[in-house]
Amino acid sequence: MHPRLRACRVAALFALAATTAQAQVSIDGPWVRAVVPGQASTGAFMTIRSLKATALVDVSSPVAAAASIHRMTMIDGTMAMTPVAEVPVPAHGAVELKPGALHLMLTGLRQPLVAGAFVPLRLRFRDADRSEWAVTVRAEVRPLTASP
Amino acid sequence: MTRLPGAVALAAPDGVRRALVAALLVAIAGRARAIAPLSGRDVTDLRIKGLLGLRDEHGRVRRLAEFRGKAILLFFGYTGCPDVCPTTLLRMAEVVRELGADAARVQVLWITVDPEHDTQALVGRYVHAFNPGFIGLRGTPAQTQAVAQAFRIHYQVATYKGEALVSHSAFGYLIDGRGRVRVRVDYEAAPDRIASDVRAVLAAS
């Protein structure tokens, strides 16, 4: 077999191994809100769909010192942020991370996020059998003034 | 035979007459209110004595009295806010657009509840991203506390695993040209309704 062809097949096998866990999950429309210079944190949003039951347990990004999962609640006109340990995604279900609800927070931003750019977000999932795996998505930076 | 309702009232026993008079008064009060209907919650009767004395991005101390003759839309927030604050400022920008020529008679003020993280310059840049006419204000933590208390606004900045977790009242106020706090502007309020309330308080003050 041609060496280059063999290399292709090996690469394809690796790709297959990496995607078996991920194939069950699709991340739709990931986006991050742009910031003005000096702003230290921002929100990230997306829809997570899964064929098997899983849970989003961690998030990280090279553009932020830290990232976490938050839930916004509104009680009697007061908005509050609560950290969330994990976001369960039911089998054949979807969870929307959106403004005004569950969302991701990027804190300690290392660079300004300008509308039109893309930011890598690494999402770590834990399946029902306790196995963990991660997927990296490119989230579009939308203007600070983007409406949800 | 027909009798006029008024005649019924005159002929009716005392209790019934009082009830009819009360109903008439309610109807009159309803008409008076209908002259300047406000879509937001009218909080005039709470007589909220607001105060500012906070600095803008140029370091200038801004006071409520300097905005006399203008309506003020006042909100509290923080720049690290992922949804409520951008949404509120976005709606205020829409209110200003909606007001058209009357926009010159309204001032949007936004006060940070997280002065430890939000610098004066940052607060200015943040609000200007929504409308260059907005004014962002910042005080010391003690001043911020005093201003929020005066406006009956609640906020809390907690730290969890090194990150700031902020909670704050998502509503704001519409203040009339005489400095009276007239309407509580709820987070869900639609921009066209807010704009109509701005016109109503400007017409009345």
Side-chain angles (χ1 to χ4, degrees):
Chain A
M1 189 188 286
H2 195 279
R4 200 193 282 169
L5 189 64
R6 192 185 303 152
C8 277
R9 285 181 64 172
V10 170
L13 271 176
F14 271 116
L16 191 68
T19 51
T20 42
Q22 299 163 14
Q24 59 169 315
V25 163
S26 74
I27 310 294
D28 296 341
W31 68 281
V32 172
R33 197 185 287 281
V35 296
V36 294
Q39 206 180 321
S41 54
T42 193
F45 316 95
M46 67 199 65
T47 299
I48 303 170
R49 293 176 206 283
S50 184
L51 296 176
K52 290 202 301 185
T54 187
L56 173 68
V57 292
D58 193 32
V59 57
S60 63
S61 175
V63 302
S68 47
I69 312 167
H70 280 187
R71 185 192 303 279
M72 193 210 92
T73 52
M74 188 77 85
I75 299 162
D76 292 336
T78 294
M79 167 313 283
M81 288 297 167
T82 323
V84 173
E86 59 171 63
V87 179
V89 187
H92 299 283
V95 172
E96 225 184 324
L97 305 183
K98 59 180 181 183
L102 272 173
H103 59 271
L104 306 179
M105 278 304 286
L106 305 180
T107 49
L109 292 175
R110 298 191 170 110
Q111 61 194 75
L113 305 183
V114 182
F118 284 87
V119 167
L121 295 177
R122 189 166 174 79
L123 309 170
R124 200 153 57 86
F125 290 87
R126 186 187 299 134
D127 291 347
D129 63 4
R130 313 297 294 168
S131 64
E132 291 196 10
W133 53 276
V135 62
T136 301
V137 296
R138 274 159 41 93
E140 184 196 359
V141 182
R142 294 193 192 162
L144 173 59
T145 56
S147 54
Chain B
M1 191 178 95
T2 54
R3 292 175 76 173
L4 290 171
V8 174
L10 286 172
D14 260 9
V16 176
R17 199 185 302 168
R18 268 201 295 274
L20 283 167
V21 168
L24 189 66
L25 287 175
V26 166
I28 290 168
R31 272 181 67 95
R33 189 160 288 197
I35 293 165
L38 293 169
S39 18
R41 191 192 301 179
D42 189 333
V43 293
T44 316
D45 290 346
L46 295 179
R47 295 177 191 282
I48 297 168
K49 290 262 170 281
L51 77 118
L52 288 181
L54 307 172
R55 290 179 194 275
D56 65 15
E57 74 271 23
H58 305 294
R60 274 172 50 206
V61 174
R62 310 302 294 258
R63 302 188 187 284
L64 269 185
E66 70 183 271
F67 301 105
R68 285 290 153 92
K70 279 188 176 188
I72 296 172
L73 285 164
L74 175 100
F75 290 87
F76 291 75
Y78 63 110
T79 69
C81 178
D83 32 38
V84 164
C85 307
T87 304
T88 297
L89 287 167
L90 197 61
R91 288 194 185 133
M92 291 311 114
E94 282 172 42
V95 169
V96 168
R97 269 197 297 278
E98 188 93 26
L99 284 168
D102 289 332
R105 296 185 64 200
V106 67
Q107 179 62 58
V108 173
L109 302 178
W110 191 80
I111 300 169
T112 179
V113 297
D114 188 15
E116 308 218 28
H117 296 99
D118 289 343
T119 63
Q120 259 156 31
L122 173 57
V123 170
R125 270 200 299 274
Y126 186 74
V127 299
H128 293 166
F130 296 88
N131 183 308
F134 292 179
I135 297 175
L137 297 169
R138 178 188 177 272
T140 63
Q143 284 173 323
T144 308
Q145 187 73 63
V147 170
Q149 212 161 359
F151 280 109
R152 306 182 192 187
I153 293 283
H154 303 284
Y155 71 91
Q156 196 176 7
V157 183
T159 308
Y160 174 80
K161 290 184 180 171
E163 67 170 315
L165 288 176
V166 181
S167 65
H168 66 91
S169 304
F171 60 85
Y173 292 111
L174 170 57
I175 300 170
D176 72 12
R178 288 157 62 186
R180 292 179 304 184
V181 179
R182 294 291 315 280
V183 179
R184 173 177 141 155
V185 182
D186 285 318
Y187 175 60
E188 298 80 7
D192 57 334
R193 297 287 187 92
I194 301 170
S196 88
D197 281 359
V198 169
R199 288 203 174 97
V201 305
L202 279 172
S205 63

